[in-house]
Amino acid sequence: MDSYGKLKLSWSIGYNRSPLHFIDDNTLVFASGSSLTFLRTTGEIVCSAPSHGSGVGPIAVCKETQTLAYAEVTLRPLIFLTKYPGNSIEGTLKGSAKLEYTDLAFSKNGRQLASLSGIPDFLLTICGGEVLSETPVGPGGASITINPLNWKNVSLIGPQRITLWTLEQCGPQTIQSPIEIHLPELTCPVGHPHSLDSAPVNAAAVEHKLSGKVDKMASEGTLFAVPDMTSVMYAESYNEFAASRKMVVPESQSWGPQQTLYVGCRGGQILAVDSESGAVTILANPQVIKEKSGSEEEDTSSGPQTGHAVLGEGCVQVMGVTKRGLFTGGQSGGVWCFDLANNLNVLDSWRNDSSIASLALSPSCNRLALGTSNGEIHVMDSTHLSTTSCAARHDYSPIIGVDVLRPGTSHCVTCRAEGFVQVWEIQGGKHTSTLQLPYKCSSLVCPSSSSSAVVGTAKGSLCVVSLVDPSQPKLVLTRRMHSSAITSLRCDQYSRFMASLAHTGSVMVYKASPSTKCAVLGHTGECQLLILF
């Protein structure tokens, strides 16, 4: 293409469950393939910005300065800093990551950027115009956040860890000091600060294990009079016991007021971590509540419903904290707002048919954006979750065909494997309409002689969709033509004829006009490639 010039990306759309970010109160940004999509909360595409490098990896946004950082997806990736609007490069950061970055996070004012690299480095890097510190953190880190009230506090969570890092500066030297947080057991009670060394149940279990060892050694004649043997055996038994515990699995995190870190866990547990002392308080543990109540449901007749009654597996995979309360969501498809000051009472809720993959809060915290597993983006008022609008509905399944509607129109058509036929405005990429076919689809063509789209299905049928009115697509014809999936559909230059190629190699030729109901003109077999002139 260099001899003819370079193509400029006009727009790109599609949501694949990647994290959503507000860059201002009315604009969202997220990764869409190898580009960044800026989307109004009303559903209008602001722009699509191609990556300045090779692809788009993790993204971080500073809402105060409207600065965006993203890592490329390649060997020895760079981090690009861009300014909104305009997507102009403000700077490029080169760290020590060899293969990938797994997460990025800005401080509140945007002057510091934290990055977490993956295999094989596992480095936590803090940059502030230059690299301030670079510390190996080991494997098991999934996400990082910076305390909005103190940029020198960085939290790192993973399936088996919570670590608080404190940045300490002395002259030109900067070091990071970690506080490893002991994860609570699945059976820890609600409302009590947790400490590995102070759990009385654990200590009793260790004493029981220790007495068993002593009795066994005495009966075998291997117990000698060593002064420190008891303490050594106790430590060994304690470490074995601690390693065998079933602990909570952190999945999400968000900083709240008073420098408290809130952590959501896989089983529906919610933890509050004090950033200064490292003390952990269990705010909710559905497992303990269910074990106590057995099969009985929580009695809500005497008061408001609480988080202990609604939380469960996959309910806190994403979270955010505002002055109103704690917002959570996850695989269950539910979104809840809990009162942090009053026993996690449910202040508001909303439910979706698909699981919640991403949750973002606007700079003013007045709006909440949710990304779902089926490719939808919902925007709602954080004070009234029922006030909800769908900003984008793209469906999360492969696109099997794209074509331009007849010449002279301003629309194009896409078809997804799950049967979604979608119409888009060519200028700007605004979504016009969607028609869901009751079939798995495998090919698409739009004959230029008519305002229609012809879809080939996985079971060998042709579906003709009328697009005379692009805002109201209609299925007008379905005919079974092949015994296997139609892998290709083609029209000749003037769209007088149409041909279909099936998975078995059979080819059929039709009249392309929908008024002829795709009348068959001929057929053949053993074909691998279909081209019409």
Side-chain angles (χ1 to χ4, degrees), residues 386-507:
S386 58
T387 309
T388 306
S389 63
C390 186
R393 182 178 285 111
H394 305 306
D395 179 62
Y396 183 59
S397 62
I399 293 178
I400 51 88
V402 58
D403 205 348
V404 178
L405 204 53
R406 62 179 301 174
T409 63
S410 57
H411 294 84
C412 63
V413 182
T414 61
C415 182
R416 295 181 181 269
E418 296 299 321
F420 290 90
V421 178
Q422 297 171 303
V423 185
W424 310 85
E425 289 185 4
I426 296 177
Q427 187 66 34
K430 185 177 179 180
H431 177 245
T432 302
S433 61
T434 296
L435 173 67
Q436 184 174 7
L437 302 176
Y439 312 102
K440 300 285 185 180
C441 298
S442 53
S443 55
L444 167 75
V445 69
C446 292
S448 60
S449 58
S450 62
S451 296
S452 63
V454 181
V455 178
T457 73
K459 291 190 175 181
S461 297
L462 285 181
C463 298
V464 180
V465 178
S466 173
L467 295 170
V468 176
D469 182 354
S471 64
Q472 295 182 345
K474 297 179 181 179
L475 178 63
V476 295
L477 177 67
T478 302
R479 286 192 67 181
R480 181 74 179 272
M481 297 297 187
H482 294 271
S483 60
S484 62
I486 299 176
T487 57
S488 181
L489 285 169
R490 294 289 186 271
C491 289
D492 71 310
Q493 181 179 359
Y494 301 104
S495 291
R496 293 173 297 181
F497 308 106
M498 179 175 63
S500 62
L501 171 64
H503 180 71
T504 55
S506 63
V507 175

Side-chain angles (χ1 to χ4, degrees), residues 330-351:
Q331 287 183 349
S332 63
V335 178
W336 294 275
C337 178
F338 300 113
D339 188 352
L340 289 170
N342 192 13
N343 196 33
L344 286 188
N345 286 345
V346 178
L347 299 176
D348 207 346
S349 64
W350 179 80
R351 183 162 291 279

Side-chain angles (χ1 to χ4, degrees), residues 118-145:
I119 296 173
D121 326 285
F122 305 111
L123 294 174
L124 176 61
T125 305
I126 309 294
C127 297
E130 60 181 11
V131 176
L132 299 178
S133 66
E134 202 168 50
T135 307
V137 297
S143 71
I144 53 175
T145 55

